């Protein structure tokens, strides 16, 4: 048995979009089940995202703390953001988000993991990068707005983040996946075996 997710699409008899927001929408599909019955499935349509696990030469991870209204919590997260346009190169998006949220640039980029955040109710796909060889970005700082005005920044040792994840103190999905993927990569084939930064991403195809 090969452990690999595979593309598949069941018949859709009808579809509608009852809500369209600024960045996402909600779609309702009538899907034919294997027994021939037809059921309605509601899900959020999402442009896709990138997350950046930026690690400095002291093995500290760059994290930010931000208020997230849907869960009514201020979460420790890694820099992340939406793909701005369909087909956007995810590496370029990640470099932009690292600059905007932390005013940092990185010289070494690898792909850590590709995930669907909530496959049962949303089609959001996230590519999480490992960024190393960090330095202060040049130029003017990005002007924050809304929740980002109140961002807190920190650099936290990787092992401290691992303990926080396993203790149930840290919940942001990109942080959890990124931190544990880095630990697993180091314990396995090593960071040189990680996919290159511009590896294909079938969930959100792009031009190099």
């Amino acid at each position: 048995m090969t452990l690999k997710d595979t593309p598949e699409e069941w018949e859709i008899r009808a579809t509608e979009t009852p809500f369209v927001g600024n960045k996402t929408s909600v779609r309702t599909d009538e899907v034919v089940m294997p027994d021939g019955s037809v059921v309605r499935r509601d899900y959020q349509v999402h442009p896709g995202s990138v997350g950046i696990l930026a690690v400095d030469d002291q093995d500290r991870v760059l994290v930010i703390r931000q208020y997230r209204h849907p869960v009514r919590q201020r979460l420790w997260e890694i820099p992340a953001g939406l793909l701005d346009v369909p087909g956007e190169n995810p590496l370029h998006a990640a470099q932009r988000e690292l600059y905007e949220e932390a005013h940092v640039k990185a010289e070494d980029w690898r792909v850590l993991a590709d995930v669907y955040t909530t496959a049962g109710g949303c089609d959001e796909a996230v590519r999480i990068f490992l960024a190393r060889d960090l330095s202060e970005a040049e130029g003017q700082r990005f002007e924050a707005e809304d929740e980002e005005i109140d961002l807190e920044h920190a650099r936290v040792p990787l092992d401290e983040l691992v303990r926080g994840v396993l203790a149930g103190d840290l919940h942001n999905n990109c942080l959890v996946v990124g931190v544990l993927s880095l630990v697993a990569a180091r314990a396995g084939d090593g960071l040189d075996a990680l996919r290159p930064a511009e590896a294909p991403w079938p969930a959100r195809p792009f031009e190099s």
Side-chain angles (χ1 to χ4, degrees):
M1 181 177 64
T2 302
L3 287 176
K4 184 176 181 178
D5 299 333
T6 55
E8 186 170 338
E9 187 167 351
W10 294 358
E11 180 186 353
I12 299 173
R13 291 280 174 86
T15 187
E16 60 184 58
T17 306
F19 171 79
V20 177
N22 184 34
K23 295 291 186 179
T24 67
S25 60
V26 173
R27 183 175 297 162
T28 299
D29 291 341
E30 294 184 2
V31 185
V32 181
M33 297 289 105
D35 63 359
S37 62
V38 178
V39 301
R40 292 171 65 88
R41 290 289 178 262
D42 304 317
Y43 58 100
Q44 183 184 21
V45 178
H46 193 285
S49 307
V50 292
I52 307 96
L53 192 80
V55 183
D56 67 15
D57 56 6
Q58 299 179 51
D59 213 32
R60 299 176 304 176
V61 177
L62 194 160
V63 291
I64 58 179
R65 192 167 181 242
Q66 182 173 355
Y67 174 67
R68 293 301 190 181
H69 185 70
V71 296
R72 309 299 198 272
Q73 291 195 35
R74 189 183 291 269
L75 301 179
W76 285 106
E77 307 179 350
I78 60 175
L82 301 176
L83 299 176
D84 278 352
V85 294
E88 180 179 14
N89 186 308
L91 175 60
H92 299 168
Q95 292 168 331
R96 178 186 68 241
E97 294 299 330
L98 186 60
Y99 167 78
E100 291 182 357
E101 295 194 351
H103 202 67
V104 166
K105 65 178 181 179
E107 299 301 325
D108 186 281
W109 292 83
R110 301 291 180 101
V111 175
L112 266 178
D114 297 328
V115 297
Y116 291 116
T117 56
T118 319
C122 179
D123 73 351
E124 181 183 14
V126 181
R127 168 157 282 188
I128 301 174
F129 290 91
L130 171 64
R132 296 178 293 172
D133 194 2
L134 308 182
S135 62
E136 188 80 3
E138 300 174 355
Q140 187 175 1
R141 285 186 173 271
F142 181 74
E143 186 173 346
E145 58 183 16
D146 301 327
E147 291 92 343
E148 294 182 351
I149 294 174
D150 198 33
L151 283 185
E152 299 176 50
H153 296 80
R155 295 196 180 197
V156 180
L158 177 65
D159 57 0
E160 185 176 333
L161 293 176
V162 171
R163 287 194 295 270
V165 169
L166 298 180
D169 295 331
L170 300 172
H171 307 92
N172 174 259
N173 63 335
C174 288
L175 184 150
V176 171
V177 172
V179 163
L180 299 185
S181 293
L182 177 56
V183 172
R186 286 177 171 175
D189 295 331
L191 301 187
D192 289 341
L194 291 172
R195 287 171 291 161
E198 302 228 25
W201 190 17
R204 294 294 184 273
F206 63 95
E207 296 291 336
S208 299

